[in-house]
């Protein structure tokens, strides 16, 4: 007689499989797991390969940035917001700078606006290239990762020349940008963009059109339009579900109003609208749109100063503001409350990845473990932004 | 394990494993065909890259990369030009610059920095805890005499955290001036 959890399941010759089936296995995925893209822990209850329940646990990368910001002057906060989404740091800085500028009423020079748009879109390209590479690794392909990193490296190199750092730039300052961009660098961006357009086509052929990739991603983790609304999804995830919402179009900031670009939407080409393949495809198309925007900026960039008039000792007038921008991973919102002092009274940051992680418990049940890896990969979270 | 209802294990039912539902022999063959074709497309792309692209990696300890000139790496303070104005310490968001200075004697010979700013304070200690530093560059921007700079030197790992604390008044660190400063 064999007993499992106090239940008699018969002897070795007459094992009662029906009774054995009734228990679920609890597994911890993460916090050190290559598929969770950082320090996310997901507690999953599985029935053999099928997931019955998944609970994400966050907080492993919590660094108290919101509280820190209350003690540092407005300029010193920028290195901290950099460290939230460390793969899309330009977007983080841009949002913060816009928030403070709006409170101060600072006019940003045209040249600085153009440079901000250029670096912002380059950052989007770099971030989506990283997604492309890492997602392919999640699903078992290695070479796409190397190709994408080769291209991404060119962007990082350019950022290093502009700002001095490869990931955490502290480049977009309140009132403008730190360093001016040279004509030589602009020419290099033109060359990079021309080359990238061809590369992206190859990339899509290599991964997106691959039958194995389609089988692994089509119809997996479908996020319907309704569900995306309910959870407050933003960015590529919302657009993959077929919702035409891009802040750059709907609530333009900077010079986006003058630029001409499309918003790619998920169409359910390989399966249902809002599946993993759609989320992948929206991002690849967004690289092309960013290229379009970059070309217009490179043509239209104006001469002039790169720093607006900002007092040496920054004191933001009393009041509060909520401002959101479109970052590579979705909407980022800053709620800044000022009491008129040298430091923010309160800085609350709304992160898009946080809302996306909260979708996991609804997406996971009924999936295979391997599909769950594809799901986490497709929502493209950065844990630095989730925990802040 | 307690508190688990046995009926959740019904997840492993046919409905959840619908992958093979309407699979006919013809479809099966076609799937294999498409898979082989798309794998060959992939292999053709990889093959092209192998033949046409140059290697993008470098063999690190033998070949060292030259960083761009305004790369923000190890900090260096040329203490002879520092006027101990404490602006860098005030700008630092993580407070990792420690400065001690005393008023200079009236009788002592007058000192000037390279750009002509008179030095009124004697620097007694100028320490940066580079283990705390986040290499943001805010301290170098505010420095009025431009004595505090980022260098492009990126190889400075240590075994203990204490060794990451640099006192820029020490002789051997002063000697960096001729070695790593751009
Ligand atoms: S680089 Fe930034 S963190 Fe480091 S010492 Fe200077 S101000 Fe402080
Ligand atoms: S800002 Fe420059 S001159 Fe002033 S204390 Fe710092 S290093 Fe010295």
């Amino acid at each position: 007689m064999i007993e499992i959890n106090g239940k008699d399941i018969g002897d070795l010759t007459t094992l009662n499989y029906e009774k054995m089936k009734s228990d679920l296995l609890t597994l911890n995925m993460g916090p050190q797991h290559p598929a969770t893209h950082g320090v996310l822990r997901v507690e999953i209850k599985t029935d053999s390969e099928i997931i019955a329940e998944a609970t994400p646990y966050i907080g492993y990368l919590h660094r108290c940035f919101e509280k820190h910001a209350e003690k540092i002057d407005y300029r010193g906060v920028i290195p901290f917001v950099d460290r939230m989404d460390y793969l899309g740091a330009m977007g983080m800085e841009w949002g913060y700078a816009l928030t403070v500028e709006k409170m101060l009423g600072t006019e940003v020079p045209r040249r600085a606006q153009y440079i901000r748009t250029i670096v912002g879109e380059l950052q989007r390209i770099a971030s989506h290239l990283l997604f492309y590479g890492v997602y392919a690794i999640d699903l078992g392909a290695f070479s796409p990762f190397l190709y994408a990193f080769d291209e991404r490296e060119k962007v990082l190199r350019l950022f290093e020349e502009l700002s001095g750092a490869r990931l955490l730039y502290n480049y977009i300052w309140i009132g403008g940008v730190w360093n001016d961009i040279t004509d030589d660098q602009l020419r290099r961006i033109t060359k990079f963009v021309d080359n990238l357009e061809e590369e992206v086509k190859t990339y899509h052929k290599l991964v997106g059109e691959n039958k194995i990739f389609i089988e692994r991603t089509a119809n997996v983790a479908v996020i319907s339009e309704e569900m995306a609304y309910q959870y407050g999804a933003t960015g590529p995830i919302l657009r993959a579900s077929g919702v035409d919402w891009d802040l750059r179009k709907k609530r333009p900031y900077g010079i986006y109003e003058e630029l001409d670009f499309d918003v790619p939407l998920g169409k359910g080409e390989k399966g249902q609208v809002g599946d993993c393949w759609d989320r992948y495809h929206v991002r690849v198309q967004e690289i092309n749109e960013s290229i379009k925007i970059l070309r217009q900026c490179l043509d239209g960039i104006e001469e002039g100063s790169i720093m607006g008039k900002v007092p040496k000792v920054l004191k933001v007038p009393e009041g509060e503001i909520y401002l959101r921008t479109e970052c590579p991973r979705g909407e980022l919102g800053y709620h800044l409350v000022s009491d008129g002092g040298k430091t923010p009274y309160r800085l609350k940051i709304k992160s898009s990845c946080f809302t996306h992680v909260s979708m996991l418990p609804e997406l996971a049940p009924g999936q295979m473990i391997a599909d769950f890896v594809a799901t986490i990969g497709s929502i493209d979270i950065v844990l630095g932004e989730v925990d802040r | 394990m307690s508190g688990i209802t046995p009926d959740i294990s019904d997840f492993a039912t046919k409905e959840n494993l619908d992958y093979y539902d309407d699979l006919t022999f013809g479809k099966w063959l076609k799937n294999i065909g498409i898979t082989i074709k798309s794998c060959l497309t992939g292999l053709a792309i990889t093959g092209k890259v192998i033949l046409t692209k140059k290697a993008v990696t470098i063999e690190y300890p033998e070949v060292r990369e030259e960083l761009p000139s305004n790369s923000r790496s190890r900090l260096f303070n040329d203490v002879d030009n520092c006027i101990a104005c404490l602006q860098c310490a005030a700008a630092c968001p993580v407070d990792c610059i420690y400065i001690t200075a005393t008023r200079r004697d009236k009788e002592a010979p007058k000192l000037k920095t390279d750009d002509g700013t008179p030095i009124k304070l004697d620097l007694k200690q100028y320490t940066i805890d580079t283990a705390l530093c986040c290499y943001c560059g805010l301290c170098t921007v505010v420095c009025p005499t431009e004595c505090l700079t980022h260098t492009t030197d990126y190889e400075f790992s240590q075994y203990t955290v204490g060794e990451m604390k640099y006192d820029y008044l020490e002789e051997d660190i002063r000697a960096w001036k001729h070695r790593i400063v751009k």
Side-chain angles (χ1 to χ4, degrees):
Chain A
M1 201 186 86
I2 302 170
E3 257 188 36
I4 291 181
N5 292 342
K7 260 182 284 173
D8 172 18
I9 57 159
D11 58 31
L12 269 180
T13 47
T14 58
L15 278 180
N16 189 338
Y17 289 105
E18 278 307 308
K19 275 189 186 165
M20 273 177 84
K21 232 174 94 176
S22 64
D23 261 351
L24 295 178
L25 178 69
T26 310
L27 271 181
N28 265 318
M29 211 165 160
Q32 267 78 32
H33 189 286
T36 56
H37 293 230
V39 279
L40 172 70
R41 178 163 76 93
V42 189
E43 189 185 296
I44 45 182
K45 300 219 163 84
T46 65
D47 180 7
S48 64
E49 273 283 288
I50 315 278
I51 295 175
E53 207 184 310
T55 325
Y57 290 90
I58 58 169
Y60 291 91
L61 211 54
H62 181 62
R63 291 152 295 172
C64 296
F65 286 167
E66 290 175 3
K67 194 70 195 165
H68 266 308
E70 292 166 17
K71 294 206 113 188
I72 316 163
D73 58 356
Y74 282 94
R75 286 191 181 89
V77 176
I78 296 179
F80 285 87
V81 297
D82 262 346
R83 280 155 177 79
M84 295 191 317
D85 180 355
Y86 38 82
L87 301 174
M90 285 290 185
M92 305 281 125
E93 289 167 13
W94 196 357
Y96 175 74
L98 277 176
T99 314
V100 180
E101 277 155 14
K102 197 133 198 177
M103 288 283 266
L104 287 169
T106 314
E107 188 88 18
V108 182
R110 293 282 295 170
R111 188 175 175 83
Q113 302 255 24
Y114 271 104
I115 298 179
R116 282 179 178 189
T117 317
I118 290 174
V119 291
E121 291 304 320
L122 280 175
Q123 181 74 82
R124 194 181 308 276
I125 290 177
S127 165
H128 285 351
L129 280 175
L130 184 114
F131 161 79
Y132 166 86
V134 187
Y135 197 39
I137 282 216
D138 277 348
L139 300 177
F142 194 69
S143 21
F145 171 76
L146 298 176
Y147 302 165
F149 262 58
D150 181 19
E151 291 301 315
R152 180 173 175 264
E153 179 60 35
K154 291 176 191 161
V155 179
L156 295 193
R157 188 73 189 190
L158 189 103
F159 284 165
E160 191 174 13
E161 278 170 32
L162 271 179
S163 70
R166 286 165 58 81
L167 282 180
L168 311 162
Y169 312 106
N170 187 13
Y171 178 65
I172 297 179
W173 282 1
I174 295 158
V177 293
W178 186 351
N179 290 322
D180 203 355
I181 198 164
T182 63
D183 287 345
D184 180 49
Q185 281 159 344
L186 289 175
R187 267 194 298 280
R188 266 176 42 213
I189 300 176
T190 317
K191 234 173 84 190
F192 164 76
V193 161
D194 290 343
N195 180 32
L196 186 70
E197 202 168 26
E198 289 307 308
E199 294 280 337
V200 170
K201 277 185 204 139
T202 324
Y203 291 167
H204 184 57
K205 224 162 79 189
L206 185 63
V207 170
E209 301 288 336
N210 188 300
K211 178 77 178 157
I212 301 170
F213 181 79
I214 294 171
E215 286 289 316
R216 288 289 310 272
T217 53
N219 291 326
V220 172
V222 179
I223 298 175
S224 65
E225 200 180 317
E226 178 61 26
M227 184 181 165
Y229 274 132
Q230 293 298 342
Y231 276 90
T234 49
I237 300 195
L238 183 64
R239 292 194 280 277
S241 300
V243 184
D244 184 5
W245 180 263
D246 190 326
L247 281 180
R248 292 174 294 167
K249 269 258 191 271
K250 304 279 180 197
R251 304 274 186 277
Y253 52 95
I255 54 163
Y256 279 119
E257 232 166 335
E258 306 154 24
L259 301 171
D260 171 42
F261 61 98
D262 300 322
V263 179
L265 298 178
K267 295 198 184 66
E269 273 168 61
K270 307 286 174 189
Q272 283 162 272
V273 178
D275 59 7
C276 287
W277 195 87
D278 267 352
R279 288 197 280 281
Y280 154 84
H281 197 215
V282 160
R283 291 201 177 91
V284 171
Q285 284 173 303
E286 270 184 18
I287 296 182
N288 286 329
E289 296 306 320
S290 292
I291 291 175
K292 231 192 251 173
I293 295 174
L294 277 174
R295 288 226 170 95
Q296 291 165 41
C297 290
L298 292 170
D299 288 341
I301 189 163
E302 294 164 22
E303 292 299 318
S305 87
I306 52 162
M307 205 61 189
K309 279 199 194 68
V310 186
K312 205 158 176 232
V313 179
L314 262 186
K315 273 199 182 146
V316 170
E318 211 175 314
E320 62 184 290
I321 187 176
Y322 180 76
L323 191 140
R324 48 195 185 152
T325 52
E326 185 79 31
C327 286
R329 285 177 179 72
E331 271 178 39
L332 173 83
Y334 285 101
H335 184 182
L336 175 69
V337 184
S338 167
D339 58 356
K342 281 188 205 164
T343 61
Y345 179 72
R346 175 84 169 96
L347 183 68
K348 169 86 185 97
I349 300 149
K350 184 251 163 202
S351 116
S352 57
C353 296
F354 180 77
T355 36
H356 298 160
V357 167
S358 64
M359 291 171 128
L360 287 177
E362 187 164 336
L363 291 173
Q367 280 188 332
M368 296 275 211
I369 291 181
D371 287 345
F372 188 56
V373 172
T375 310
I376 298 183
S378 79
I379 61 172
D380 192 20
I381 41 172
V382 161
L383 267 297
E385 200 194 326
V386 175
D387 295 337
R388 303 186 290 278
Chain B
M1 294 205 302
S2 61
I4 291 164
T5 43
D7 49 346
I8 293 184
S9 62
D10 291 344
F11 274 107
T13 52
K14 193 86 171 51
E15 286 81 68
N16 281 323
L17 300 169
D18 58 355
Y19 307 99
Y20 310 106
D21 263 6
D22 47 357
L23 193 67
T24 57
F25 184 62
K27 264 193 192 165
W28 182 69
L29 273 186
K30 203 175 140 214
N31 272 348
I32 292 178
I34 297 173
T35 311
I36 291 176
K37 198 175 139 237
S38 58
C39 283
L40 287 180
T41 320
L43 280 179
I45 292 168
T46 2
K48 206 174 126 208
V49 171
I50 291 173
L51 294 177
T52 54
K53 271 208 178 162
K54 279 189 296 210
V56 289
T57 46
I58 54 170
E59 289 166 15
Y60 165 55
E62 284 86 35
V63 188
R64 280 184 162 74
E65 194 178 19
E66 188 85 4
L67 295 188
S69 62
N70 65 347
S71 194
R72 297 205 307 260
S73 220
R74 168 144 72 174
L75 282 160
F76 177 73
N77 185 15
D78 180 7
V79 279
D80 297 333
N81 283 332
C82 177
I83 55 170
C85 64
L86 305 196
Q87 287 202 40
C88 51
C92 179
V94 292
D95 295 337
C96 64
I97 306 180
Y98 315 114
I99 304 173
T100 318
T102 52
R103 187 165 293 282
R104 210 173 154 73
D105 256 347
K106 284 230 166 62
E107 286 80 51
K110 294 232 172 344
L111 280 181
K112 274 191 174 166
T113 62
D114 287 351
D115 64 356
T117 323
I119 298 178
K120 297 215 180 88
L121 295 167
D122 268 337
L123 205 56
K124 288 279 180 274
Q125 180 209 18
Y126 191 98
T127 311
I128 295 183
D129 194 343
T130 44
L132 283 179
C133 171
C134 65
Y135 300 93
C136 62
L138 288 173
C139 52
T140 60
V141 181
V142 294
C143 180
T145 60
E146 291 179 14
C147 60
L148 184 61
T149 46
H150 281 285
T151 64
T152 55
D153 185 31
Y154 53 90
E155 292 165 317
F156 51 99
S157 56
Q158 300 287 359
Y159 284 103
T160 61
V161 177
E163 283 172 76
M164 298 290 282
K165 234 180 197 175
Y166 297 133
D167 187 354
Y168 289 92
L169 286 163
E170 272 171 22
E171 279 312 312
D172 54 336
I173 293 186
R174 275 184 192 219
W176 290 355
K177 189 175 178 181
H178 308 290
R179 190 167 63 84
I180 58 173
V181 177
K182 47 194 162 180

